[in-house]
Amino acid sequence: MPPAVAGTRPPVHDLVGVGFGPSNLALAIAVAEHNAAASRPLDARFLERQPRFGWHRGMLLDDATMQVSFLKDLVTMRNPTSMFSFLAYLHCRGRLVDFINHKTMFPLRAEFHDYFEWAAEQVDDQVSYRHQVTSVRPVTDGTGISYLDVQTMCSDQPASAAEPFATCRTRNLVLAPGLRPWLPDGVVVSPRIWHTEDLLDNVPRLGAHGVTRLIVVGAGQSAAEATAYLHERFPRAEICGVFARYGYTPADDSPFANRIFDPAAIDDYFVSPEPLKQRLMGYHRNTNYSVVDLDLIQELYRRAYQEKVRGTERLRMFNLAQITETVPSSEGVRTVIESLATGNKTVLDADAVVYATGYRPVDPAEVLGELDQYVVRDSRGRPVVSRDYRLVTDPAVRCGIYLQGGTEHSHGLTSSLLSATAVRVGEILQSVLLTSDASISSQAARYDSV
């Protein structure tokens, strides 16, 4: 389909964000703070398919804590005086003194989610919830592609509506579609087979009684948290952990290792040759991937040992193992667990199997559609991204397309983590401002003449 021609003159936004998780929420805050002091405010619009702000609601376990310092909130690393900080939230909620007395750098995950919701409410004038992006189309003004039309479908409208779609035209697009739950090949979600993303939604459906066995697959933080939660939630059930490792691996959160998340480390990673990037990723994967907080590992081991002493072992660990078959039924799931060391197989009937197998970034091509043909990719098919998180595109594309997430290959481990969010959105905003100020006047002249 050829690019549209700018002739109907719809309103043009300076920036449209796809997705409204923590990353684009942080960007909306940066825009709001800029607009409060700017002579020419930015016109930003964020599109979110959910009915309200939500961030991994299915794993907001009562005692689960953040794995990142509260100082790495939505704003502090960019603007320590911001009124959108976690400390400002605590003051607003009347808990600042109590939190200080708590002497922790790592709040409850449920509390941090409430902080996100509090912040989102303050910038909700920039957000259109229940808007699913269906396509992104390039718009030419005669000299190149200077605008993008982002088409959305609003779930509030009935399917029979004459105009079920709406279009936002923008000079800059910021993609933050988040992460997609990943399952091993052949595994299909069902009422008895879940990803941890849906843990808290699905557990009540099992009922309070009659659960005899649950299986958790995975060796990372979510797997360990799910195992501990289910072990407490169902005191008469057997909880089986299945993972290919010999045991849970502790996360390296030591001060020197944590420097891999510093803003300066992103600069170093970005300019490093590909072999060094691979080495850095290998050296520091244990700061984030398939690792567990040491306190949780010790707690699970304490429970397992205590049960051995009592002679009633409910917490079972199948290490060096994998699931080779799951056959769901209305009653549960018949599961085959194979030892990687011996090949021996164990058949277990379970009420449910929970896969804590992580997430994968969404390829921007899925959102960009036909526009993806203009994106420059490297020899491995990955999008080429500049230091300011802007996609490198064909010169015909004069508008900016930015990524929040999916940039691990170019920017390192912080691609999808909160650690760099505040700084990253500041860099994106500055890039948008620099390009917008230089181009708006010339674009406006061409736009009015069409």
Side-chain angles (χ1 to χ4, degrees), residues 43-311:
D43 181 347
R45 174 58 43 186
F46 295 88
L47 306 170
E48 171 56 49
R49 61 181 176 82
Q50 296 187 99
R52 58 193 175 102
F53 181 89
W55 180 65
H56 296 303
R57 289 182 179 276
M59 282 295 288
L60 292 179
L61 306 177
D62 288 342
D63 55 355
T65 59
M66 297 294 293
Q67 294 178 279
V68 64
S69 166
F70 71 87
L71 292 173
K72 292 184 176 181
D73 57 18
L74 298 167
V75 294
T76 298
M77 294 284 284
R78 174 183 59 81
N79 177 15
T81 65
S82 173
M83 294 305 296
F84 291 88
S85 69
F86 181 70
L87 292 180
Y89 153 81
L90 289 173
H91 184 267
C92 180
R93 290 287 197 250
R95 294 199 305 268
L96 180 57
V97 173
D98 296 320
F99 184 83
I100 292 171
N101 291 338
H102 194 28
K103 297 182 179 180
T104 182
M105 297 290 286
F106 306 101
L108 289 169
R109 194 179 298 154
E111 183 176 35
F112 223 66
H113 191 277
D114 188 59
Y115 158 62
F116 287 156
E117 290 182 305
W118 170 83
E121 288 173 0
Q122 299 182 67
V123 293
D124 64 358
D125 59 314
Q126 298 184 51
V127 191
S128 295
Y129 290 105
R130 298 183 184 272
H131 277 68
Q132 173 73 50
V133 173
T134 58
S135 68
V136 178
R137 293 189 61 197
V139 182
T140 181
D141 61 4
T143 63
I145 298 170
S146 296
Y147 309 100
L148 300 174
D149 277 353
V150 184
Q151 189 176 63
T152 67
M153 181 170 62
C154 180
S155 60
D156 279 340
Q157 291 182 316
S160 59
E163 296 290 340
F165 299 99
T167 300
C168 293
R169 180 162 291 181
T170 183
R171 298 182 179 92
N172 296 280
L173 184 68
V174 182
L175 303 180
L179 301 171
R180 177 175 295 153
W182 182 84
L183 294 167
D185 290 342
V187 176
V188 179
V189 170
S190 74
R192 298 287 183 168
I193 299 175
W194 320 328
H195 189 276
T196 46
E197 176 190 46
D198 301 312
L199 180 67
L200 291 183
D201 292 331
N202 287 335
V203 159
R205 298 170 187 166
L206 294 175
H209 306 288
V211 176
T212 59
R213 180 183 289 125
L214 298 166
I215 296 173
V216 179
V217 183
Q221 182 73 18
S222 294
E225 288 179 355
T227 299
Y229 167 73
L230 294 172
H231 187 257
E232 293 178 356
R233 178 70 170 74
F234 298 99
R236 293 181 177 84
E238 181 179 277
I239 311 300
C240 302
V242 180
F243 42 83
R245 300 186 178 205
Y246 210 84
Y248 295 116
T249 301
D252 184 357
D253 60 354
S254 58
F256 287 111
N258 272 345
R259 285 182 170 178
I260 194 65
F261 304 118
D262 291 353
I266 300 174
D267 292 328
D268 293 336
Y269 191 92
F270 186 81
V271 299
S272 295
E274 187 64 27
L276 179 55
K277 287 180 178 177
Q278 294 300 317
R279 287 172 62 186
L280 286 171
M281 195 64 67
Y283 290 153
H284 296 288
R285 287 188 69 84
N286 65 344
T287 60
N288 183 61
Y289 291 111
S290 298
V291 289
V292 182
D293 287 342
L294 183 58
D295 289 348
L296 182 53
I297 295 175
Q298 292 173 331
E299 169 61 18
L300 286 172
Y301 192 88
R302 183 195 66 79
R303 296 186 194 183
Y305 183 78
Q306 187 179 69
E307 289 179 354
K308 278 192 175 184
V309 171
R310 292 177 175 173

